[in-house]
Amino acid sequence: MSVRVTMRDIAKEAGVSPMTVSRALKSDGSVNAKTRQMVQDVADKLGYVYDTTAQAFRAQRSGFLALTLPSINNANFATTHKALTESLAETDLQLLQGITNYDVVREEQMVRQLLARRPDAMILTGGTHTDTTRRLLESASIPVFEIWDIPEAPIGHVIGFSNSDAMGLIVDHLAQSGRQRLGFVGASADTDARGHERRLGTIKAARERGLAEVLDLQIGPAPATMSSGLELVMREIDRIRGLDALVCVSDPVAFGAMMALECLGLTIPGDIAVTGFGNFEISRISRPSITTLDVGAQEIGTLTGRCANEILSGISAQDAVIETLTPRLLVRKTTG
Amino acid sequence: MSVRVTMRDIAKEAGVSPMTVSRALKSDGSVNAKTRQMVQDVADKLGYVYDTTAQAFRAQRSGFLALTLPSINNANFATTHKALTESLAETDLQLLQGITNYDVVREEQMVRQLLARRPDAMILTGGTHTDTTRRLLESASIPVFEIWDIPEAPIGHVIGFSNSDAMGLIVDHLAQSGRQRLGFVGASADTDARGHERRLGTIKAARERGLAEVLDLQIGPAPATMSSGLELVMREIDRIRGLDALVCVSDPVAFGAMMALECLGLTIPGDIAVTGFGNFEISRISRPSITTLDVGAQEIGTLTGRCANEILSGISAQDAVIETLTPRLLVRKTTG
DNA sequence: GATCATGTTGTTACCGATACCATGATACCG
DNA sequence: CGGTATCATGGTATCGGTAACAACATGATC
């Protein structure tokens, strides 16, 4: 059984031409019902498996939708991935993904590797890329989607939200509940462009609302995890004691920070408020539950999938889609 | 720029044959250094991107490593995925994944779709499959790996651990610390074969150690999440009050359950012990930290990647590899 | 009976990269 | 100087499915 069965084999066995086999298996209406059934039976008998590689090659259309993600180990991106997969379920598109580890150089490598598979479209998580990446994508002449961000210079379609503006909602809420001295906890600027946008947004919003200068607390290179939030608080507790709110770049970081704060005897939200980002499950379940932003990770995936499918199937025009989502503030127990 | 550049185009522009272009770009030693450089320059100038689809078609070898995962939104599988990706980084193998949603019928669809891409090997998470899936894989005559489980009837290679035996470690520990009346929290049997193995293992171990019959607490269909752990405790609190240990199918479930228990006024581990499974980050960071099992999710990925690469590159023989890992008990604060 | 529409099947060429073999050029040997 | 090894390059065929067109049979229509 080590040789593979092709349509030619089926054709020989069934006594028809390969073309008829092709038509029969594709349920092309132009083939006689009896012939189709016979071909189908022979195919089953021989254990035939369709060869998408050959079809993709011939049609010059791979059926792949390429996707880059910073990390697979992040519930937010996983949600987008899941929604994307589901909104593609009815189509013949298949996801082909590359993990960039929050690194634009690695992203470039992945884009190169993905483009070599001739995807029908490319979805990039994030709006920061190397020049070469941009060049590669432009000359690939396929639809490009940038999601999860609003890039300054979009390559093609955009489905995301402003990380900077989003922080305004959080800072507003903190200011309204009387907090004045904020600290921001996030990964280093060069490893997490998205997180850095949140940092800048927090600083800007605090300034606009007349709060004290934001204390910048950096936890090292991305990804920012529960552990990094916990360790940062342990390390910087002296400076943190002077604050009345800790704005965290994500929910896991907020949770880690909260565990450390409680361990050190501070009460939440009494002594200090804590906010997260992303509406991860932990923020709803933890005690106290964490005030956070829902950015519509699922909606991003669903919209992107639908939009990509419409463009690729020619239903909608190729005009650049710019879809700006508005994050939703979820006030919970960590901000009193 | 909408037509794609092929080796033929480069050949014409560089005044050589397509064959020479192929050799030059592949750094085949048999092409003159000066010619190679010239070809390379022309390729760069034209913005050429190699076509892996054509290469795969010609070579009858796709370079794909197909992988099925029950869920993308699970830190344990994500860890395996990451380790697998990393151990493949040096090779020319590319992961092609399908999400099964803990459903063997969906797995069959995914396997069919993945096989049509002619992968060089197939990695299945789990050891429970439909008959058709087994048949498809057998006639595909490629190396098959089943990971994360020890299947009763392996299809090919196996890299996993016994979910049933693993629970013995937890039950032992609970028994030694004086717990007698255990409850098991997990998804319904038919949606999570792996979780069900853990249920059976717990029941078996409790029986062998002379503990009370295990109370079976089912949270509905997989996946088992923090929310489902929390909701189950809220719903079943009356029966749970009679227990002195809650054995959970995973760390997130344990965390959710713990939050609910505390909310209802029970102390952990004073009133009731709680255990998790999988050594998710939450189990180390939460307060109290959660006693759990580390099953070597990373090691599974690394081993599988290395093994697949060795077999595919002909370094090692095709003999069936059966690699049984031994989970490691991590005693933390939820079991006093 | 000739003409034409319709339904079904077959033939040929092609997608892009490359294995295989052939060929020409150069170097080196006795 | 003829013969042969070595190096560099080219020509051709091929992988599996399918678009485009051709061919044929059948039945309907005038």
Side-chain angles (χ1 to χ4, degrees), chain B residues 8-21:
Chain B
R8 214 174 301 268
D9 300 322
I10 300 175
K12 202 171 293 177
E13 180 79 11
V16 295
S17 77
M19 202 55 237
T20 301
V21 175

Side-chain angles (χ1 to χ4, degrees), chain A residues 10-30:
Chain A
I10 300 175
K12 200 171 297 176
E13 180 79 12
V16 295
S17 75
M19 199 59 233
T20 301
V21 175
S22 173
R23 284 191 269 247
L25 295 182
K26 192 184 307 205
S27 302
D28 184 320
S30 75

Side-chain angles (χ1 to χ4, degrees), chain A residues 41-216:
Chain A
D41 290 347
V42 173
D44 288 346
K45 195 185 80 181
L46 297 182
Y48 173 74
V49 177
Y50 187 79
D51 190 332
T52 308
T53 299
Q55 189 273 333
F57 176 55
R58 162 71 224 222
Q60 295 292 294
R61 184 176 172 288
S62 65
F64 280 130
L65 201 54
L67 168 71
T68 67
L69 286 176
S71 159
I72 189 85
N73 206 330
N74 175 304
N76 263 328
F77 298 138
T79 300
T80 297
H81 181 285
K82 187 161 191 281
L84 193 51
T85 304
E86 278 164 11
S87 82
L88 256 39
E90 303 302 311
T91 74
D92 59 350
L93 289 166
Q94 200 169 356
L95 267 191
L96 187 60
Q97 92 199 17
I99 306 300
T100 67
N101 277 328
Y102 296 89
D103 178 354
V104 288
V105 175
R106 180 117 191 85
E107 182 187 66
E108 181 183 315
Q109 293 168 359
M110 294 314 309
V111 166
R112 208 182 279 277
Q113 194 179 89
L114 291 169
L115 284 179
R117 295 284 183 180
R118 295 283 185 267
D120 298 333
M122 171 81 69
I123 304 171
L124 303 169
T125 305
T128 311
H129 321 286
T130 66
D131 289 344
T132 306
T133 302
R134 305 185 84 88
R135 203 167 43 70
L136 284 170
L137 289 170
E138 272 155 22
S139 63
S141 54
I142 53 174
V144 174
F145 295 80
E146 287 168 285
I147 64 174
W148 268 87
D149 273 359
I150 308 288
E152 284 180 37
I155 301 173
H157 311 280
V158 176
I159 294 173
F161 60 92
S162 162
N163 281 277
S164 173
D165 292 354
M167 299 315 289
L169 297 174
I170 289 184
V171 174
D172 269 344
H173 166 62
L174 288 172
Q176 274 164 28
S177 42
R179 312 285 171 170
Q180 307 231 327
R181 302 179 308 284
L182 276 46
F184 180 87
V185 183
S188 55
D190 55 330
T191 60
D192 185 4
R194 204 165 4 270
H196 188 55
E197 276 297 304
R198 294 177 199 163
R199 172 181 294 117
L200 296 179
T202 306
I203 293 171
K204 174 159 165 280
R207 223 170 254 162
E208 285 171 6
R209 283 141 188 91
L211 306 181
E213 189 68 12
V214 172
L215 177 63
D216 188 12

Side-chain angles (χ1 to χ4, degrees), chain B residues 240-261:
Chain B
I240 290 173
R241 280 191 201 278
L243 304 173
D244 57 15
L246 211 51
V247 178
C248 299
V249 74
S250 74
D251 286 348
V253 171
F255 180 76
M258 192 164 82
M259 291 300 110
L261 291 169

Side-chain angles (χ1 to χ4, degrees), chain B residues 185-251:
Chain B
V185 182
S188 55
D190 54 329
T191 61
D192 185 3
R194 205 167 2 273
H196 188 56
E197 277 296 304
R198 294 178 199 162
R199 171 180 296 119
L200 296 180
T202 305
I203 293 171
K204 175 159 165 279
R207 224 169 254 162
E208 284 170 6
R209 283 144 188 89
L211 306 181
E213 190 67 12
V214 173
L215 178 63
D216 188 11
L217 299 159
Q218 300 216 359
I219 57 180
T225 62
M226 289 184 185
S227 308
S228 48
L230 184 140
E231 281 155 21
L232 178 114
V233 169
M234 290 299 186
R235 197 169 64 236
E236 300 280 1
I237 184 60
D238 292 339
R239 297 163 74 197
I240 290 173
R241 280 191 201 278
L243 304 173
D244 57 15
L246 211 51
V247 178
C248 299
V249 74
S250 74
D251 286 348

